[in-house]
Amino acid sequence: MALPFLVACSIPAPVLFELRDGRFQLMEQGALSPFMAGRGYLLVEQDLAVFLKQAKVQRVTFEPVVLFTPVTGEEFRSHVRIYVSQFFRENELLDLDVTGRRMLTLNDQYYFASPELKALLADSPFRYLDFSEGLSGFAAGAA
């Protein structure tokens, strides 16, 4: 049985807060990460978003996003928000359809790639992406 792969980033991401106007406020100083996942959002650098669009990943949509630094008032438009519409819960892991190029989300906070998409990303220039099968990347290491 094929399992999806948790996608993570080797480059630490700053804490973000989504403002009512749709921008994301940086809650701490530091460089932006090319892949930032949090509760209710997935933000990726534009090059990765273009790659995923060209790969025709299933059940995702893309939207430009603005990152905002309140200390300086500076805005960044270097990232794209990805909406993933295939949700699952831990107990559904073994029953998921992971055929084709798919992204999935667990608890609208953790993002997974199907085996086909994982293979494509692993061969891509985006070397900052890390993968772990199923839930093995979590502390409990289940499935």
Side-chain angles (χ1 to χ4, degrees), residues 18-92:
E18 186 172 8
L19 301 171
R20 288 184 187 197
D21 64 7
R23 295 180 301 166
F24 282 84
Q25 179 176 323
L26 280 76
M27 301 300 293
E28 57 191 21
Q29 297 289 352
L32 296 175
S33 173
F35 184 97
M36 298 183 283
R39 188 78 166 137
Y41 67 85
L42 172 59
L43 309 180
V44 302
E45 67 173 342
Q46 289 187 18
D47 289 345
L48 178 55
V50 168
F51 182 87
L52 294 170
K53 281 182 190 178
Q54 291 174 345
K56 296 184 173 35
V57 176
Q58 300 173 36
R59 302 183 70 179
V60 297
T61 55
F62 303 87
E63 180 179 279
V65 71
V66 175
L67 296 155
F68 171 69
T69 304
V71 175
T72 64
E74 197 172 8
E75 292 185 343
F76 303 94
R77 289 174 169 73
S78 54
H79 287 67
V80 173
R81 186 174 194 171
I82 297 178
Y83 291 97
V84 177
S85 63
Q86 186 171 356
F87 294 82
F88 72 97
R89 292 186 216 113
E90 294 91 347
N91 63 341
E92 300 169 327

